[in-house]
Amino acid sequence: MSWHAQLQLDYQPQAGGRTALKHSHTGPLRILKSLYPEGEAICHNVIVHPPGGLVGGDELDIRVRVDEGAHALVSTPGATRFYASDALQASQRVSIDLAANARLEWLPLETLAYPGCQALNELRFTLAPGAELLAWDVTALGLPSAHQAFSHGRFQQRLEMPGLWMEQARLDATDHRLLNSPLGLDGQRCLGSLLLATGHAMGRERREGLLDATRLALRSAPDDVRWGVTCVNPQMLVVRAVAPLVEPLMASLQAAWAALRHTAWGLVPTAPRIWRV
């Protein structure tokens, strides 16, 4: 039996500067208790998918709305797992909508594409003027540490800010040129993107400051993490990285997130406690 689940998160500002969450769900998607480790202004939440993974036919639909002046940080307690499927596709779709002067940090832990999976992963976001988003997406093809290579299966991904930026990929285990060529993944099996997106054009001075801070943070990345950072347009900074294993890649993106959070917003990088559990 397939899972069809929806989760709606609505973050709203309240008196005194507090950000509060209203949410609704159908199916096996839940939100844990709202936490405020940084004070009332920033609401931290963890999304839980009780079955623990997706198989053929499963569909997860997550929608996030942040109202004007609210700030939220959302993560997950563990990896999202796309298990092997005979034929049917499993999908996770995330839609983010930020009102003017809203902020969201979308920081789920990695996605694991098991051998034999038929997976679709989508992230789509729209930002009003003054809104800003820090988000990442990290994918591991196969389970190298468990000696389970991504020998068969397909992982499709689409990341999009409509009208401004889009990246999509079809990673098929039989496409050896893409997976192993120096012009493709060059044998790396973990890939990640971190982005800072704004609903308005950033000035050149701010863009250059963000680039400098991010590059400085990534200089300490392990040697086996290959990374690059650029402002692809006046509204976005994007970090791309690949590595043989997910742990060093994730640690590198966390360092870049910390630098961007401090440089862009003047905030101490308070990592969710769930990352240390």
Side-chain angles (χ1 to χ4, degrees):
M1 184 177 68
S2 299
W3 294 104
H4 294 261
Q6 294 182 326
L7 180 65
Q8 176 74 45
L9 305 179
D10 291 297
Y11 291 94
Q12 303 170 352
Q14 293 187 332
R18 178 184 175 91
T19 294
L21 169 66
K22 291 186 177 181
H23 61 95
S24 60
H25 73 269
T26 58
L29 276 175
R30 298 291 189 275
I31 198 79
L32 296 184
K33 179 180 178 181
S34 295
L35 301 174
Y36 295 88
E38 304 177 77
E40 299 286 277
I42 305 175
C43 182
H44 287 229
N45 287 111
V46 177
I47 294 177
V48 178
H49 177 221
L54 293 88
V55 296
D58 288 353
E59 296 180 5
L60 301 185
D61 183 6
I62 301 171
R63 299 173 185 244
V64 184
R65 165 74 183 179
V66 185
D67 285 346
E68 185 171 358
H71 186 163
L73 186 154
V74 181
S75 190
T76 58
T80 299
R81 302 170 188 271
F82 283 96
Y83 293 120
S85 172
D86 291 335
L88 294 176
Q89 178 177 266
S91 64
Q92 175 176 267
R93 293 180 171 90
V94 179
S95 178
I96 293 170
D97 182 19
L98 303 188
N101 302 314
R103 290 178 180 173
L104 175 67
E105 297 171 77
W106 178 258
L107 306 172
L109 295 182
E110 67 272 12
T111 296
L112 301 181
Y114 278 63
C117 73
Q118 303 293 328
L120 172 65
N121 182 54
E122 292 186 351
L123 173 63
R124 184 179 186 273
F125 48 94
T126 58
L127 282 66
E132 300 201 353
L133 170 71
L134 266 171
W136 67 37
D137 189 277
V138 177
T139 300
L141 301 174
L143 291 85
S145 297
H147 306 291
Q148 297 184 39
F150 191 63
S151 56
H152 59 296
R154 183 178 68 244
F155 186 88
Q156 297 183 83
Q157 180 160 275
R158 183 185 180 101
L159 311 176
E160 181 182 12
M161 186 173 179
L164 186 65
W165 175 80
M166 182 181 68
E167 288 191 358
Q168 58 183 1
R170 185 177 187 272
L171 303 173
D172 194 307
T174 62
D175 190 346
H176 299 294
R177 287 187 177 181
L178 174 61
L179 296 180
N180 300 316
S181 166
L183 297 179
L185 293 181
D186 197 21
Q188 309 301 304
R189 290 299 179 262
C190 299
L191 57 154
S193 298
L194 165 67
L195 58 93
L196 170 67
T198 65
H200 53 281
M202 294 183 283
R204 180 173 180 178
E205 183 177 352
R206 188 185 188 205
R207 294 199 307 270
E208 291 181 350
L210 293 170
L211 286 168
D212 289 344
T214 308
R215 289 167 177 156
L216 179 62
L218 288 169
R219 285 178 188 170
S220 59
D223 292 339
D224 56 356
V225 177
R226 307 179 192 177
W227 58 268
V229 55
T230 184
C231 284
V232 295
N233 58 59
Q235 292 180 233
M236 296 184 68
L237 177 148
V238 179
V239 178
R240 298 179 180 86
V242 295
L245 297 173
V246 73
E247 290 81 6
L249 189 150
M250 182 61 81
S252 300
L253 291 188
Q254 289 176 1
W257 160 77
L260 284 170
R261 195 178 204 253
H262 176 71
T263 305
W265 299 341
L267 295 175
V268 174
T270 303
R273 289 180 58 189
I274 199 70
W275 292 358
R276 303 189 297 271
V277 173

